[in-house]
């Protein structure tokens, strides 16, 4: 199953994201990638490579250091589209404003893709995930906030999904949604920083104060905390809990609910 991670804080995001992706390697994957807001002006920088995380690290090293403090990362198992750099996540919208990572299958992606092509969108991958980025782009361009763009997009998707997105229009912000059971989303609260992931394994080294999204819930996350809504747009109640174990024990499998179900 694919792996999702996200980080917002004051320290450099890239090392945190790479460490979190390595904590998810046990799930299996064929490619990996990250996206960060690379400067104060909100420029998105995406690096993704087929193969092991070491390939991603090498590509990042060749690009030079990135001082971004917010970013998202993904490990992919191919479903729609072969394993390749191009099909690896994250995926970017046409205008470069919205970037998306995703677990699950958009069951009506062919219909959505055809619709988006008719409206002039250009696809760079074979994935179903890219339709999410283009749909969100349209809503952001129409004036919606990033969380509202995700909510409106979620209403168009069929199947189970776990989605995380960022936008150059809202630097410092990540949004996430859980629709059905596609691996889940867990949010971790730190001191001046926040992390989210598809699995506790990637969160516990940073935070044991966590919240789990339920089906139909969305989160807006920045380094100060998180706000939650449901698919109607109303406020959602998401309970925070303390995981009473250390990260090493969790990674050894001592926690009965190891994954964010």
């Amino acid at each position: 199953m694919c792996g999702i991670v996200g980080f917002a804080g004051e320290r450099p995001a890239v090392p945190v994201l790479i460490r979190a992706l390595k904590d998810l390697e046990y799930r299996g994957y064929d490619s990996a990638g990250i996206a960060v807001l690379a400067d104060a002006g909100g420029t998105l920088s995406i690096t993704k490579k087929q193969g092991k995380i070491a390939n991603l690290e090498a590509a990042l090293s060749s690009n030079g250091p990135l001082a971004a403090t917010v970013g998202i990362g993904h490990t992919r198992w191919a479903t729609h589209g072969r394993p390749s750099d191009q099909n690896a996540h994250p995926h970017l919208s046409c205008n470069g404003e919205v970037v998306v990572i995703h677990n699950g299958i958009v069951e009506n992606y062919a219909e959505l893709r055809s619709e988006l092509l008719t409206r002039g969108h250009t696809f760079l991958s074979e994935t179903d995930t890219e339709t999410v980025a283009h749909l969100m782009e349209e809503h952001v361009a129409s004036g919606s906030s990033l969380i509202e763009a995700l909510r409106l997009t979620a209403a168009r998707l069929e199947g189970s999904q776990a989605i995380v997105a960022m936008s150059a229009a809202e630097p410092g912000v990540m949004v996430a949604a859980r629709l059905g059971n596609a691996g889940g989303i867990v949010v971790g609260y730190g001191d001046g920083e926040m992390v989210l992931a598809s699995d506790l394994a990637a969160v516990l080294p940073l935070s044991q104060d966590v919240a789990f999204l339920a089906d139909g819930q969305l989160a807006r996350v920045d380094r100060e905390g998180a706000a939650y809504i449901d698919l109607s747009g109303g406020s959602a109640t998401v309970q925070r809990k303390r995981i009473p174990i250390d990260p090493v024990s969790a990674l050894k499998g001592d926690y009965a609910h190891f994954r964010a179900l």
Side-chain angles (χ1 to χ4, degrees):
M1 182 179 289
C2 304
I4 280 174
V5 298
F7 175 79
E10 296 181 326
R11 54 177 162 154
V14 171
V16 178
L17 294 171
I18 291 296
R19 161 67 188 271
L21 290 176
K22 288 180 177 179
D23 287 337
L24 297 178
E25 282 189 290
Y26 76 94
R27 296 161 71 98
Y29 64 102
D30 56 53
S31 58
I34 66 168
V36 295
L37 282 171
D39 57 48
T43 302
L44 286 165
S45 176
I46 298 174
T47 307
K48 51 187 185 177
K49 297 296 290 183
Q50 181 182 351
K52 297 299 183 182
I53 291 172
N55 297 344
L56 174 62
E57 289 183 286
L60 288 165
S61 296
S62 67
N63 290 340
L66 294 173
T69 58
V70 59
I72 57 178
H74 191 268
T75 51
R76 177 185 188 244
W77 265 125
T79 52
H80 292 88
R82 67 193 185 282
S84 69
D85 291 355
Q86 197 170 41
N87 288 331
H89 297 211
H91 290 288
L92 191 64
S93 63
C94 292
N95 63 4
E97 289 282 321
V98 178
V99 64
V100 170
I101 55 178
H102 164 244
N103 292 349
I105 295 176
V106 180
E107 294 177 359
N108 59 332
Y109 91 99
E111 171 192 335
L112 294 173
R113 183 183 177 104
S114 177
E115 178 184 311
L116 288 160
L117 287 169
T118 300
R119 293 203 293 270
H121 288 268
T122 300
F123 283 77
L124 300 179
S125 78
E126 303 165 314
T127 69
D128 55 339
T129 302
E130 195 177 350
T131 61
V132 179
H134 295 312
L135 288 169
M136 289 188 66
E137 172 193 323
E138 292 186 339
H139 292 301
V140 170
S142 296
S144 293
S145 67
L146 189 60
I147 187 69
E148 179 67 2
L150 180 55
R151 185 185 73 83
L152 293 170
T153 296
R156 297 292 316 277
L157 307 179
E158 296 178 5
S160 294
Q161 327 290 337
I163 303 166
V164 172
M166 296 193 309
S167 173
E170 294 186 40
V173 174
M174 305 178 289
V175 295
R178 178 182 175 181
L179 310 173
N181 186 13
I185 294 287
V186 56
V187 179
Y189 290 75
D191 183 11
E193 60 186 32
M194 297 286 289
V195 60
L196 55 80
S198 52
D199 195 315
L200 277 171
V203 173
L204 288 174
L206 297 168
S207 173
Q208 292 171 248
D209 181 9
V210 303
F212 298 93
L213 293 189
D215 181 14
Q217 291 182 332
L218 298 86
R220 181 191 184 278
V221 180
D222 60 27
R223 68 183 182 87
E224 300 298 333
Y228 302 97
I229 64 171
D230 60 27
L231 289 174
S232 72
S235 177
T237 301
V238 179
Q239 183 180 3
R240 288 169 60 172
K241 60 180 69 177
R242 185 80 178 173
I243 304 299
I245 56 170
D246 65 277
V248 174
S249 296
L251 293 172
K252 289 180 178 178
D254 293 341
Y255 185 59
H257 303 288
F258 185 56
R259 288 179 291 182
L261 300 177

